Amino acid sequence: MFNREFVVKMPSKVWVSDITYIQTKEGFVYLTTIMDLYDRKIIGWSLSDKMSKEKTTLGAWKMAVKTDILMKV
């Protein structure tokens, strides 16, 4: 779709996401981030001790949607 040309001309047109795990003394935690490719800012994130879509991806997505709405006001 992008052919590795990640130039986005408007905000909120292309979001990308990543999940990474971080080892702590108590075990692993999972950090999910969502970035708007227009300005490369993190607009949503979630940190969880469980690898479930509700605790990781869905939480970050909900934050990103709220952030996007607030930026348009």
Side-chain angles (χ1 to χ4, degrees):
M1 179 177 179
F2 292 107
N3 294 327
R4 299 202 175 269
E5 294 181 29
F6 296 106
V7 177
V8 181
K9 298 182 193 265
M10 293 177 59
S12 297
K13 294 296 178 187
V14 180
W15 292 356
V16 295
S17 179
D18 186 47
I19 298 176
T20 191
Y21 60 93
I22 303 163
Q23 188 171 10
T24 69
K25 289 180 182 180
E26 288 81 29
F28 286 101
V29 292
Y30 303 92
L31 175 63
T32 305
T33 56
I34 298 178
M35 178 180 9
D36 188 336
L37 277 184
Y38 172 72
D39 54 8
R40 306 279 201 264
K41 289 185 180 177
I42 301 298
I43 59 171
W45 61 272
S46 177
L47 188 64
S48 173
D49 62 349
K50 304 263 190 266
M51 180 64 134
S52 69
K53 68 180 174 192
E54 290 81 15
K55 300 268 185 178
T56 57
T57 309
L58 194 55
W61 180 80
K62 286 178 179 179
M63 182 187 288
V65 169
K66 287 180 185 177
T67 301
D68 183 52
I69 291 169
L70 290 173
M71 289 188 324
K72 291 179 179 177
V73 175

